[in-house]
């Protein structure tokens, strides 16, 4: 591993960081957190409605956000009826971003910048897929974690809805960890609940939410502990992460007052 940086934040500010917080690295699928947040801003602004049709037949914006639209991981031919399975779908987020683009009448990257990036002071930029194309720093990811502990760009009630389980009881595969029954997800945010194994720690509350990426990046937010943990690195996700990330998470939680 050449570059790695991690940090811990509360709603009040940064607790600690390790590594270079300004090194720009790919976030991979952690990008989905920003895309989801921008979509929630769009819903609050009246650009779109969460329960209006979007994507394949029977699907809504809410289905796309919750990986419940029936779209496959990649490609736009549905492989299930909307609301029947949790199919982790990059394509779903690309369809979602196109929908925001059409409704907002501006490029999604520009909407993301205006709705989320600039208000939070992020240097991170979307260059590529709205499912995986953000490059940013640890400082950016920490800022996002703080926002998700004490939201400013959306209402607290909207965040609560987005981090609760959407379409409860759906079975699906958590990438890298296998079949989960249920595979609980919010609106763009993966919800820990009772999943085993998992990339967060044994000490994380079931209400913990977040995302990890194939680039070795992750962000989890534990609203019960009142803390978020972020990591960026240049080592692709693998078996090392399945051991290191939960260990790091539990060590952080053990240090909290």
């Amino acid at each position: 591993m050449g570059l790695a940086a991690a940090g811990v934040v509360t709603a009040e500010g940064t607790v600690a960081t390790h590594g270079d917080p300004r090194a720009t690295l790919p976030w991979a699928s952690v990008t989905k957190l920003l895309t989801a947040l921008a979509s929630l801003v769009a819903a609050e602004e009246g650009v779109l409605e969460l329960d209006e049709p979007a994507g394949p037949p029977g699907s809504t914006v809410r289905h796309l956000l919750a990986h419940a639209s029936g779209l496959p991981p990649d490609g736009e031919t549905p492989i299930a009826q909307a609301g029947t399975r949790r199919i982790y779908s990059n394509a779903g987020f690309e369809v979602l971003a196109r929908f925001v683009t059409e409704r907002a009448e501006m490029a999604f990257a520009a909407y993301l910048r205006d709705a989320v990036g600039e208000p939070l002071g992020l240097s991170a930029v979307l260059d590529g897929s709205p499912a995986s194309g953000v490059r940013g720093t640890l400082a950016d990811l920490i800022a996002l974690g703080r926002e998700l502990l004490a939201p400013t760009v959306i209402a607290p009630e909207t965040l609560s809805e987005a981090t609760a389980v959407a379409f409860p009881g759906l079975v699906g595969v958590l990438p890298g960890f296998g079949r989960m029954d249920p595979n609980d997800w919010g609106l763009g945010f993966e919800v820990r609940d009772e999943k085993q194994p998992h990339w967060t720690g044994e000490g994380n509350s079931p209400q913990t939410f977040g995302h990890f990426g194939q680039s070795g990046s992750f962000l989890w937010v534990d609203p019960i502990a009142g803390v978020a943990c972020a990591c960026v690195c240049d080592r692709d996700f693998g078996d090392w992460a399945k051991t290191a990330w939960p260990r790091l998470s539990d060590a952080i939680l053990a240090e909290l007052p």
Side-chain angles (χ1 to χ4, degrees):
M1 184 183 297
L3 289 174
V8 178
V9 65
T10 67
E12 288 71 43
T14 301
V15 175
T17 62
H18 179 81
D20 182 359
R22 298 294 170 185
T24 299
L25 292 164
W27 287 12
S29 283
V30 179
T31 297
K32 293 182 177 72
L33 297 182
L34 284 180
T35 295
L37 194 54
S39 300
L40 294 170
V41 171
E44 286 197 345
E45 290 182 340
V47 172
L48 54 79
E49 295 181 5
L50 292 176
D51 292 312
E52 69 175 303
S59 172
T60 64
V61 172
R62 191 183 301 273
H63 285 101
L64 291 170
L65 280 164
H67 298 288
S69 69
L71 288 174
D74 297 289
E76 297 185 16
T77 301
I79 57 174
Q81 290 187 333
T84 62
R85 289 170 56 193
R86 190 85 65 190
I87 305 169
Y88 182 81
S89 179
N90 293 309
F93 270 68
E94 291 165 357
V95 170
L96 173 65
R98 288 205 305 269
F99 191 77
V100 175
T101 294
E102 292 165 6
R103 288 303 181 87
E105 298 182 338
M106 63 189 297
F108 183 75
Y111 190 87
L112 180 66
R113 180 194 64 225
D114 292 351
V116 180
E118 289 187 354
L120 299 187
L122 306 185
S123 66
V125 294
L126 176 63
D127 182 18
S129 171
S132 60
V134 163
R135 291 180 59 86
T137 66
L138 176 68
D140 292 328
L141 205 48
I142 284 175
L144 178 58
R146 187 174 181 184
E147 169 69 13
L148 295 173
L149 284 164
T152 60
V153 300
I154 58 173
E157 295 80 7
T158 300
L159 181 63
S160 294
E161 179 181 0
T163 57
V165 179
F167 309 105
L170 297 187
V171 176
V173 173
L174 178 62
F177 289 88
R179 183 180 185 273
M180 300 286 169
D181 185 3
N183 187 19
D184 286 338
W185 221 279
L187 302 182
F189 303 90
E190 192 231 323
V191 180
R192 188 192 198 288
D193 276 354
E194 304 299 334
K195 292 174 182 150
Q196 290 290 347
H198 200 256
W199 55 276
T200 62
E202 291 285 344
N204 281 97
S205 72
Q207 291 89 343
T208 299
F209 60 88
H211 219 293
F212 75 88
Q214 287 295 322
S215 62
S217 59
F218 73 77
L219 173 65
W220 60 249
V221 178
D222 190 330
I224 304 303
V227 66
C229 178
C231 175
V232 293
C233 76
D234 62 358
R235 183 178 182 183
D236 288 349
F237 171 81
D239 288 343
W240 68 271
K242 298 178 186 181
T243 301
W245 290 352
R247 185 185 300 157
L248 173 63
S249 301
D250 283 332
I252 289 166
L253 291 165
E255 291 291 323
L256 295 177

